[in-house]
Amino acid sequence: MPRVRPRPLRRTSLSLLSALGLLGIGCSEPDGAESPSPSDPPASLEDWKQRREQLDETVWADEKRAEEHERTLVALWDGLLAAQGQDVAETLAVLAGIEFEALRIGSPTADASLDHGIERFRFSAPMRVLTPATWRETLESLATGGLRLVQSEWHHARFRPARGGEPARSEVAVGLHLREADGDRRIVVEGPVGVEWSPTRDARGNPQPRVIDATGLRMLVREGPPGFQQILNQAWSSPRGFTRIHPVLIYDLDRDGRSELLALGAGSVLWNRGDGRFEDAPLFDHPYLLSESGAIADLDGDAHADVISTRGRGDLVIYRGDAEGRFREEPRVVPLDAPLRAPSAIALGDVDADGDLDVWLAQYKPAYLEGQMPSPYYDANDGYPSYLLLNDGDGTLRPATEAAGLAPRRFRRTYTSSLVDLDDDRDLDLLVVSDYAGVDLYRNDGRGHFSDANDALRGDRHLFGMSAAFGDFDRDGRLDFFVAGMASTTARRLEALGLRRDEQADAMRMRMAWGNRMFLASNGGFVEPAFKAQVARTGWTWGTTAFDFDNDGDRDLFAANGHRSGESTRDYCANFWTHDIYDGSSEPDPALASLFAEDSRDLAAGAMSWDGYQKNHLLMNLDGEGFANVAFLLGVADEFDSRSALSEDLDGDGRVDLVVVEDHGERGQRLHVYRNQLETDGAWVGVRLEEQGPGTSPVGASVVVRTAEQTHVGRVVTGETLMGQHSTTLHFGLGASDRIEAIEVHWVDGRSRILESPALRRYHRILAPTRP
């Protein structure tokens, strides 16, 4: 398709895009139904509206019935949200107001004991049947016992309309978070709840349940203080309009062994003063409004960290750092062939083994902009261009995208990318994670030329890709990776209804809507694990980070969730999956742009949600054989709309802490820091890798920690987490190991450093080698 010289995309023009979602997630036709022909797009707004109405009456008729029944769940969820923080009587009144004839529930039976005092239960015989009266008695008894409902989720996952004398039925994915008012006990109740609907309506005109089947629920219980404590909750605002925080970079600027937090979007640095204390200061002497992409490393070989980012005007700039970790000079502009429109990710690494850091810069093109949509929605390559820029050694960057073999799919709508050695051949491969496409893997030949390696992904590479995390998740001594996406309840409901509108698009629906993907290294490629469903459905996941939060020797995962939470949980998602994803194309359409604006008016005004009020997930690794979400039990299940997520041992106590960005769209963002205070017996070790230029950068280095029990692997990577960067410090939980045989550091230039029998429970400072 022709390439035009684009104009920079300004943040102030993104209010509609923010409402509709800067990315997407997406529906089916009853036998015999006639749907309007999609061959000729409507020419006007009224024609578009008429066509959608016809589709709702034919193709999507059963889905519209499902949405009608969903109103009952929306009213319940909204009522509970309104009662949060109020007197317990308010919550009781909402729950007691559920109208039904019978509620079936089992008795909790111990199923397994997990780490940190977590007990898992399932509900089984003896079964009980509650009437509305006994339901109210049960609620009052729980309240008298001190239990309070803190958070909840109610997702309409499946629906079968009433037909042939059979009542309508639904399956609701429920999540309940309860806590003792005067104690440390926390309870998670979750699972499918079946609903048989009555033909009658409640006082508000919503469908009324007749029989509720809650026998499929599961429960996790933990007693004890939360594992994480929030120590920072900060927003920035300035006359220059720096209300956003992204990107967030973690780096030890003054080399005192404590990493700083750089909020590039706010032009600020939080100097780490130790023991959970931070000092806010301006980051640059010459600040500019920066976009949400950036990275930090020594780009010019002087041993001082430089910041590379993009300004709102659409140019790529480098701020040179000095020996004190300050950025005092005006930034230097990197020439490109066109202004950048929406830069989204910057990955650094020495791709051609010449001793300096090269740059991969990717862009994200928002859906809905000017009435266009990614096309096809499962393999879009119609966005703004990505660039490979080779470093001449002094920070001078020159374009090399086509010569490196990266041109064919450079127009992905990309959110994150990383240059990382995935095949253990000591050169940096490229992993690109894109919305409306999924994962693209490129193998480096060692000289900076890349070839398509998607055939090495023996699982499904398709998803609405957001971010990635690297770690050895199955404890076999090989590097795996996890890719965050979106798991759509609406898409699952449409699939279960058997509705169809477009054969090819519908065949990809559940592949795209499955959610997150995990790829485990296996015989020269990567496969999805048997437990893939346990890590898939965390919600609408944005940022993710892999770390061993409990030092037991396996890598856990944190997932930052939630898109746009409004006054009501009424969800825009169905509109996306039934219409938006089919109607748009890669080309602008003024009439469709008007339709998008009209259909999303309530969303833009904050009156409704799009996958709102989701909870952040902490997926605890179960010894490499699966994962369990323990976020609420350990104190990090916030339900604000999250974005970037990073992990770092900020206080140097051997327990890795969490950094999460909360997003409020045009109203700005907040930075949350959670200190890890979990008491564990596991051993640990860390390495702090630093430059001593001119020389090899720590970025791209591979680290191996060998014990008698296990081989641990790690990489220093940039660009993988959404709008953020981890530091060049790597932490390894060692579990019951009482001795380390060796720590090996392998640099990209082929050299290595080995520490024999290093001490446990400390960080070892290792300097990168100078150039030969």
Side-chain angles (χ1 to χ4, degrees):
M1 89 183 169
R3 307 297 177 198
V4 297
R5 187 175 180 85
R7 296 170 297 173
L9 182 65
R10 298 185 180 273
R11 280 191 192 137
T12 54
S13 69
L14 293 179
S15 57
L16 172 63
L17 300 177
S18 178
L20 286 169
L22 299 186
L23 49 101
I25 27 174
C27 350
S28 330
E29 182 175 357
D31 292 340
E34 295 183 2
S35 62
S37 171
S39 56
D40 298 317
S44 68
L45 173 61
E46 290 304 315
D47 289 342
W48 272 113
K49 292 166 65 175
Q50 182 179 10
R51 177 175 173 176
R52 288 193 170 191
E53 289 172 2
Q54 293 174 349
L55 286 163
D56 287 343
E57 293 171 358
T58 55
V59 174
W60 308 122
D62 283 348
E63 166 58 19
K64 302 309 289 185
R65 295 184 183 97
E67 293 170 28
E68 180 183 9
H69 287 75
E70 191 174 53
R71 292 204 306 261
T72 301
L73 304 176
V74 169
L76 172 61
W77 197 351
D78 287 354
L80 291 171
L81 284 170
Q84 281 182 197
Q86 305 297 318
D87 187 89
V88 66
E90 297 287 336
T91 302
L92 283 177
V94 175
L95 293 172
I98 301 174
E99 301 180 41
F100 61 88
E101 295 180 17
L103 188 158
R104 293 198 294 265
I105 190 168
S107 301
T109 302
D111 182 45
S113 294
L114 308 181
D115 291 341
H116 315 302
I118 299 172
E119 298 293 328
R120 189 171 65 193
F121 297 82
R122 55 185 173 84
F123 286 79
S124 58
M127 300 295 176
R128 295 180 294 155
V129 178
L130 304 182
T131 65
T134 54
W135 166 240
R136 288 191 291 270
E137 292 173 2
T138 301
L139 291 174
E140 291 171 0
S141 175
L142 291 172
T144 302
L147 279 183
R148 303 289 185 266
L149 179 63
V150 180
Q151 299 168 331
S152 67
E153 289 190 41
W154 309 80
H155 298 284
H156 196 190
R158 300 173 78 90
F159 178 72
R160 191 183 74 185
R163 283 202 181 101
E166 287 292 317
R169 298 180 186 273
S170 290
E171 180 183 289
V172 182
V174 174
L176 307 174
H177 292 169
L178 303 104
R179 183 179 177 182
E180 278 185 338
D182 300 318
D184 287 331
R185 189 161 58 123
R186 294 179 177 230
I187 299 173
V188 174
V189 179
E190 61 185 7
V193 170
V195 178
E196 178 188 307
W197 295 97
S198 168
T200 61
R201 305 280 176 137
D202 63 20
R204 289 172 288 192
N206 295 330
Q208 183 174 327
R210 190 179 77 82
V211 178
I212 301 175
D213 184 352
T215 58
L217 294 173
R218 304 173 298 275
M219 184 165 67
L220 292 175
V221 180
R222 180 178 184 266
E223 189 158 0
F228 291 83
Q229 177 188 19
Q230 183 169 253
I231 60 172
L232 184 69
N233 180 352
Q234 182 164 334
W236 281 268
S237 181
S238 78
R240 296 178 62 86
F242 293 13
T243 60
R244 298 187 70 80
I245 297 172
H246 287 146
V248 177
L249 315 181
I250 301 180
Y251 196 90
D252 184 2
L253 287 175
D254 54 7
R255 300 198 177 186
D256 64 352
R258 298 187 298 260
S259 292
E260 275 68 53
L261 301 175
L262 285 65
L264 262 61
S268 295
V269 55
L270 291 173
W271 290 96
N272 190 343
R273 301 310 185 197
D275 196 31
R277 296 175 295 112
F278 296 90
E279 179 184 337
D280 188 8
L283 179 60
F284 304 113
D285 285 5
H286 301 277
Y288 291 91
L289 186 64
L290 300 177
S291 71
E292 295 183 318
S293 61
I296 182 169
D298 179 14
L299 290 165
D300 55 10
D302 64 356
H304 309 318
D306 310 306
V307 168
I308 180 170
S309 187
T310 52
R311 291 191 290 195
R313 66 185 65 172
D315 54 2
L316 178 66
V317 296
I318 296 176
Y319 281 92
R320 294 186 72 243
D322 61 22
E324 297 177 350
R326 310 283 179 165
F327 303 91
R328 296 186 167 95
E329 302 177 7
E330 278 276 358
R332 178 166 57 85
V333 177
V334 178
L336 296 173
D337 58 3
L340 299 168
R341 290 293 302 271
S344 54
I346 294 178
L348 306 178
D350 184 2
V351 303
D352 51 3
D354 65 351
D356 51 40
L357 290 178
D358 308 303
V359 177
W360 169 259
L361 185 152
Q363 300 198 77
Y364 181 81
K365 183 180 182 180
Y368 298 98
L369 182 66
E370 298 177 333
Q372 55 76 41
M373 290 290 287
S375 181
Y377 80 96
Y378 49 84
D379 194 26
N381 190 33
D382 56 358
Y384 305 135
S386 297
Y387 296 87
L388 179 67
L389 304 170
L390 296 183
N391 193 338
D392 286 340
D394 59 358
T396 301
L397 303 176
R398 54 183 174 81
T401 314
E402 294 188 6
L406 293 170
R409 288 196 294 270
R410 68 182 298 200
F411 291 92
R412 293 291 200 202
R413 300 180 184 229
T414 298
Y415 259 116
T416 53
S417 300
S418 291
L419 292 163
V420 54
D421 180 12
L422 285 171
D423 52 8
D424 287 317
D425 63 354
R426 299 289 187 262
D427 59 37
L428 301 182
D429 309 302
L430 176 62
L431 185 76
V432 178
V433 179
S434 304
D435 196 10
Y436 297 99
V439 179
D440 286 304
L441 177 61
Y442 301 91
R443 185 172 286 114
N444 190 347
D445 68 356
R447 298 181 298 278
H449 188 273
F450 294 86
S451 58
D452 183 347
N454 280 343
D455 58 355
L457 303 174
R458 295 167 192 151
D460 199 325
R461 49 170 287 273
H462 291 279
L463 76 161
F464 296 99
M466 304 292 299
S467 59
F470 299 94
D472 178 10
F473 298 114
D474 57 355
R475 303 184 62 167
D476 67 349
R478 295 179 288 185
L479 190 71
D480 313 311
F481 63 94
F482 170 82
V483 182
M486 288 165 287
S488 173
T489 305
T490 303
R492 294 202 300 273
R493 182 174 71 228
L494 293 165
E495 194 74 11
L497 280 167
L499 305 182
R500 298 286 182 267
R501 174 174 168 179
D502 177 274
E503 182 178 353
Q504 188 170 7
D506 295 330
M508 295 297 297
R509 180 169 55 204
M510 281 315 302
R511 294 176 67 181
M512 292 294 291
W514 172 258
N516 310 320
R517 301 281 182 184
M518 179 173 281
F519 294 91
L520 304 180
S522 175
N523 300 324
F526 296 89
V527 298
E528 292 187 87
F531 55 78
K532 63 181 182 179
Q534 295 176 12
V535 299
R537 294 175 180 174
T538 52
W540 183 321
T541 300
W542 295 77
T544 185
T545 183
F547 64 122
D548 188 352
F549 76 85
D550 51 2
N551 288 332
D552 64 350
D554 52 34
R555 289 275 155 174
D556 312 295
L557 285 162
F558 181 83
N561 297 321
H563 177 35
R564 189 176 177 92
S565 300
E567 295 175 6
S568 171
T569 58
R570 183 167 59 94
D571 203 344
Y572 183 86
C573 192
N575 207 69
F576 174 87
W577 281 108
T578 56
H579 295 301
D580 296 353
I581 207 67
Y582 298 93
D583 290 342
S585 72
S586 301
E587 300 302 320
D589 187 321
L592 194 54
S594 298
L595 181 67
F596 288 154
E598 184 169 316
D599 280 358
S600 67
R601 186 176 294 119
D602 285 350
L603 183 65
M608 66 185 299
S609 300
W610 191 352
D611 280 329
Y613 299 99
Q614 295 185 348
K615 318 302 180 285
N616 290 335
H617 281 50
L618 177 60
L619 299 176
M620 183 174 69
N621 195 328
L622 305 178
D623 198 28
E625 297 180 355
F627 287 81
N629 179 24
V630 298
F632 179 71
L633 302 178
L634 295 181
V636 288
D638 296 284
E639 66 179 3
F640 51 67
D641 296 332
S642 301
R643 293 300 182 264
S644 187
L646 301 108
S647 54
E648 175 81 3
D649 183 3
L650 293 167
D651 54 8
D653 67 352
R655 295 176 291 188
V656 183
D657 311 303
L658 272 170
V659 179
V660 183
V661 173
E662 173 185 356
D663 186 75
H664 294 281
E666 295 297 311
R667 293 181 291 120
Q669 298 175 323
R670 301 192 70 86
L671 184 71
H672 298 261
V673 177
Y674 303 85
R675 172 184 268 177
N676 186 342
Q677 58 185 16
L678 189 67
E679 296 294 335
T680 68
D681 296 326
W684 61 274
V685 74
V687 292
R688 301 189 191 279
L689 304 180
E690 297 180 6
E691 301 95 340
Q692 58 168 343
T696 300
S697 171
V699 174
S702 300
V703 177
V704 179
V705 177
R706 301 189 188 277
T707 69
E709 295 80 13
Q710 188 178 342
T711 297
H712 304 263
V713 295
R715 303 283 194 274
V716 178
V717 184
T718 64
E720 81 283 16
T721 189
L722 182 82
M723 295 176 280
Q725 177 183 324
H726 291 95
S727 76
T728 59
T729 297
L730 295 183
H731 168 277
F732 299 89
L734 303 177
S737 299
D738 59 5
R739 178 181 174 274
I740 302 172
E741 296 176 352
I743 295 177
E744 303 172 9
V745 181
H746 302 285
W747 311 97
V748 176
D749 66 3
R751 288 180 284 179
S752 299
R753 171 79 183 278
I754 299 177
L755 300 182
E756 301 284 354
S757 302
L760 293 165
R761 295 182 174 86
R762 59 161 291 188
Y763 286 95
H764 298 271
R765 182 171 178 257
I766 300 177
L767 297 177
T770 57
R771 291 176 185 167

